[in-house]
Amino acid sequence: MSPSAPLAWIAALAAAAYPTWNTWKNWFDWSSLFAAAGMSEEYYAKEHYGGFAEGVVSCVRLYDSIDHSPFLLLRDDLATLTELATTWALPVLAVLIALVRRHSATAGPRAAWLLALIALVRPLSADYKGDGICSGSLPMFTPDWFEALSGGWGLWELCLLAAALLILLASGSPAPPISGRRTLTAAMDALVVYGLVTLAPLLTGDESLRVGLLRQLRFDDIRDDPARLLVLVLPVGYLLLRHGRRGKG
C-alpha cells in the first residue's frame, strides 16, 4: 500500500458520507422549521381569527399537458431506491467493504461503479417541475426536461464521483473490470420486469398502480388493498423461470 492510500480511503469515506450527512441534517432542520411554523400559525390564527387560517390554491391543467410516459414507473422507483441508499448510508458501506477487501481485484471497482451509478441515477430520476406554481412536472425527454436535467447535477453527485475515483486510486484498479454480457443480461431482465409490472393495472383495475411500484408496496397500502400484491406475480414468475432455466443449464 502506498503512503497516500490511507489518505485516499479517508477522503473517499468523507466524500461518500456527505450525501447521508446532508440528508439527515436537512431532515432535522425541516422538522424544526415545520414545528416552529406550525406553532406560529396556530398563535396567529387564534389571536386574529379565533382558529386556524387555511389557504387553498386550485390549479387546472389540460389532460394533454400531463406526462404519460411509460418510464414514470421506473423513474419513481429509482428515485425511491437512491433516496433509501443515501438515507441509510449505502455509499459509506460500499467504501467500507472495499476498504476491508482492498486486496481483492474486484471489490474496489465494484464499489466505485456502485457510487457512480447512484450519482448518475439521482439526477435522471428527479421529478423536475416547471417554473409556474401550476406548471406541474416536466414531461420526460422533452427539451425543457433535458434543460432541467443539465442543471440537476450538484454537490451530492460530485462527492459520490470523487469517492468512486478515490477508491480506484487507493485500490490500484484504474480499469474497473466489468462483464459486458452479464451487465447486458441484468439490464434486459430489469426492463422485462418493469414491462411486466406495467401490465399489473390491467389485471387489478387499479389505476393508482401506474406510479412507482415501491411506493405501492408500503405496508399500510397493502393492508387496505391486498390486491396490490398482484403486481409482484408476473415479475416474480419471470425471475423464477429465468433462475430455473439457468440452474438447468
Side-chain angles (χ1 to χ4, degrees):
M1 179 182 293
S2 64
S4 61
L7 295 178
W9 284 114
I10 294 174
L13 281 171
Y18 175 78
T20 299
W21 173 81
N22 188 256
T23 297
W24 284 90
K25 176 179 178 295
N26 290 337
W27 189 85
F28 282 113
D29 288 347
W30 278 107
S31 298
S32 302
L33 180 62
F34 284 140
M39 293 175 62
S40 176
E41 181 182 358
E42 180 180 359
Y43 174 80
Y44 181 84
K46 286 183 177 180
E47 286 292 323
H48 294 274
Y49 300 101
F52 288 98
E54 295 183 356
V56 178
V57 177
S58 298
C59 297
V60 178
R61 299 179 62 205
L62 296 176
Y63 181 78
D64 293 340
S65 66
I66 300 175
D67 190 6
H68 303 285
S69 171
F71 294 99
L72 287 179
L73 174 67
L74 178 60
R75 186 202 68 183
D76 290 346
D77 284 344
L78 288 177
T80 301
L81 287 174
T82 52
E83 180 182 356
L84 291 173
T86 53
T87 300
W88 298 109
L90 181 59
V92 177
L93 182 60
V95 177
L96 289 175
I97 293 175
L99 175 59
V100 171
R101 301 187 58 200
R102 57 186 176 276
H103 299 297
S104 170
T106 59
R110 286 176 178 175
W113 276 110
L114 177 62
L115 295 177
L117 183 62
I118 296 175
L120 174 65
V121 166
R122 189 170 182 269
L124 288 174
S125 60
D127 184 13
Y128 296 105
K129 305 288 186 179
D131 296 331
I133 190 173
C134 295
S135 299
S137 300
L138 295 176
M140 295 181 67
F141 307 118
T142 60
D144 291 338
W145 183 85
F146 279 107
E147 181 180 356
L149 175 64
S150 65
W153 299 82
L155 185 57
W156 282 30
E157 289 74 28
L158 291 177
C159 285
L160 293 176
L161 292 176
L165 179 59
L166 288 167
I167 289 176
L168 293 178
L169 294 176
S171 61
S173 302
I178 273 193
S179 172
R181 181 178 179 182
R182 180 176 297 181
T183 303
L184 180 60
T185 300
M188 292 301 298
D189 282 346
L191 291 176
V192 171
V193 165
Y194 272 94
L196 293 175
V197 169
T198 58
L199 297 177
L202 301 178
L203 301 178
T204 62
D206 188 353
E207 290 295 322
S208 66
L209 293 177
R210 293 189 180 277
V211 295
L213 170 64
L214 296 177
R215 296 183 182 180
Q216 299 303 320
L217 296 180
R218 292 175 297 189
F219 176 77
D220 292 340
D221 294 334
I222 294 175
R223 181 187 59 188
D224 298 335
D225 187 9
R228 292 176 183 269
L229 287 174
L230 290 176
V231 301
L232 296 176
V233 173
L234 292 176
V236 171
Y238 169 77
L239 293 176
L240 289 176
L241 181 62
R242 286 275 296 170
H243 180 74
R245 288 181 176 178
R246 188 173 301 174
K248 293 178 180 180

